[in-house]
Amino acid sequence: MEEIREIIEARYDRLAAGDVPGMLAFYAPKVVQFNLAPPLGGWTDGHDPAPLAGWLATFAAPPRRTVTQLEITASGDAAFATSLDSMTAIPKGSDSPFTMWHRMTLGLSRDDGRWLIVHEHASVPFYMDGSFRAAVDLKP
Amino acid sequence: MEEIREIIEARYDRLAAGDVPGMLAFYAPKVVQFNLAPPLGGWTDGHDPAPLAGWLATFAAPPRRTVTQLEITASGDAAFATSLDSMTAIPKGSDSPFTMWHRMTLGLSRDDGRWLIVHEHASVPFYMDGSFRAAVDLKP
C-alpha cells in the first residue's frame, strides 16, 4: 500500500518537474488510458513520450496536481486506487492559472516485484440539465 | 476472471429487467462511486435502492447496456475491469431512443469467497476546444 501511495504522489512530482521519462517510468509498456480529452480511449503505448510532452507544451509551466481522498485496494499482484485530484496550470498565452478538480482511478499490476500503472481513468462528470456541459467547476 | 466477467454482464441483465435489488446484490455495502452525473463522487451506500430506482424512473423502460473491449486484471482478492460500454434508453416523454458510449472502470474485492463491486467509475471525455462539451457522441 505504502509503495503504491508513493508511486501515485511521485508521478505528480515528476510531472511538476516537467520530467517526462521520470513520469513514464511509473507506467507499464501497455496502458488502458481513459483521458479527460477524447477519444473514449483504449490500449496505448505507456512509454511513448510524445503525448505527454505535447500536452506539457500547451502550458506556460508544468501543471501541478494534488491527490486527495486516496483509497487503495491491493491484494496479490493487483491493485486499484481512487482519488479526487486537482490540477492547477497556466495555459500558454494566458496570464492566470486555472484549477480543475477531477476523479482519478488507477489500476496497477506488480511485475517482477515492481508495481506499474496499467490503467488510468481521469474524468469529470457532466451536467444532465440538457446542456451536456462538462462539470469542470466542481470541488470535493 | 470468468466469475468477474459474469458479474459484469449479469448486473446489466438485472438492470435491463428493472430489477433494482438484483442489480445492487453485486455491490459491496460501501462503494466509491464516480458517476456520469455530478457530484464528483466518493463513498456511497452500495445497497441503497433509492438512487438507482429514481434514475430508472426517468426512462420509459429500463436502459439496455452492453460491455465491449472488456479487460480484467485480478490477483488474490483484488480485481479491476475496464470496458467501453453503450447505453440505449428512451427518456420519459420522448418517443425515440438514444445510444451513448462511455468508459467504465470497476474495482472489485473478494469477501468471504464472493467478488463484490467496491468502485465504479463511468465517464465520457470532454472537448478541449473551448466549448467544454461532454463528448456524448463518440463511438469506440
Side-chain angles (χ1 to χ4, degrees):
Chain A
M1 299 280 238
E2 194 47 40
E3 191 185 341
I4 292 168
R5 184 181 300 268
E6 278 167 19
I7 287 169
I8 289 170
E9 298 280 359
R11 88 190 200 293
Y12 280 171
D13 290 344
R14 290 301 86 213
L15 178 69
D19 176 4
V20 171
M23 170 107 174
L24 297 182
F26 297 111
Y27 290 76
K30 283 182 73 189
V31 176
V32 175
Q33 273 283 1
F34 296 161
N35 283 330
L36 289 169
L40 282 171
W43 287 110
T44 57
D45 176 348
H47 291 166
D48 179 6
L52 181 57
W55 180 74
L56 278 173
T58 66
F59 297 104
R64 280 179 302 113
R65 297 173 90 156
T66 62
V67 177
T68 73
Q69 298 185 33
L70 179 62
E71 301 282 345
I72 300 172
T73 301
S75 179
D77 293 324
F80 55 93
T82 63
S83 58
L84 298 181
D85 295 4
S86 73
M87 179 167 81
T88 301
I90 305 177
K92 251 182 199 160
S94 167
D95 51 9
S96 58
F98 71 89
T99 293
M100 183 185 70
W101 286 87
H102 60 87
R103 299 88 66 89
M104 180 65 83
T105 301
L106 295 174
L108 298 100
S109 186
R110 189 159 51 184
D111 188 32
D112 259 343
R114 187 156 169 257
W115 288 102
L116 292 171
I117 297 168
V118 297
H119 170 54
E120 187 167 54
H121 187 167
S123 79
V124 294
F126 67 90
Y127 291 109
M128 297 202 177
D129 54 5
S131 72
F132 294 102
R133 275 182 311 124
V136 294
D137 53 351
L138 299 175
K139 289 182 179 63
Chain B
M1 299 280 240
E2 195 47 39
E3 192 185 342
I4 292 169
R5 185 180 301 267
E6 279 167 18
I7 287 170
I8 289 170
E9 297 282 358
R11 89 189 198 293
Y12 280 172
D13 291 344
R14 290 299 87 214
L15 178 69
D19 176 4
V20 171
M23 171 110 175
L24 297 182
F26 298 113
Y27 290 76
K30 282 182 72 188
V31 177
V32 175
Q33 273 284 0
F34 297 161
N35 283 329
L36 289 168
L40 281 171
W43 287 111
T44 57
D45 176 348
H47 292 168
D48 178 6
L52 182 57
W55 181 73
L56 279 173
T58 66
F59 298 104
R64 280 178 302 114
R65 297 174 89 157
T66 63
V67 178
T68 73
Q69 299 184 35
L70 179 62
E71 301 282 344
I72 300 172
T73 301
S75 178
D77 294 324
F80 56 92
T82 63
S83 58
L84 298 181
D85 296 4
S86 73
M87 179 168 82
T88 301
I90 306 176
K92 251 180 200 163
S94 166
D95 51 9
S96 60
F98 72 88
T99 294
M100 183 185 70
W101 287 86
H102 60 86
R103 300 88 66 88
M104 179 66 83
T105 301
L106 295 175
L108 298 100
S109 186
R110 190 159 51 184
D111 188 32
D112 259 343
R114 186 154 169 259
W115 288 102
L116 292 171
I117 298 168
V118 296
H119 170 54
E120 187 167 54
H121 187 167
S123 78
V124 294
F126 67 89
Y127 291 109
M128 297 202 178
D129 55 4
S131 72
F132 294 102
R133 274 182 310 124
V136 295
D137 53 352
L138 299 174
K139 289 181 180 63

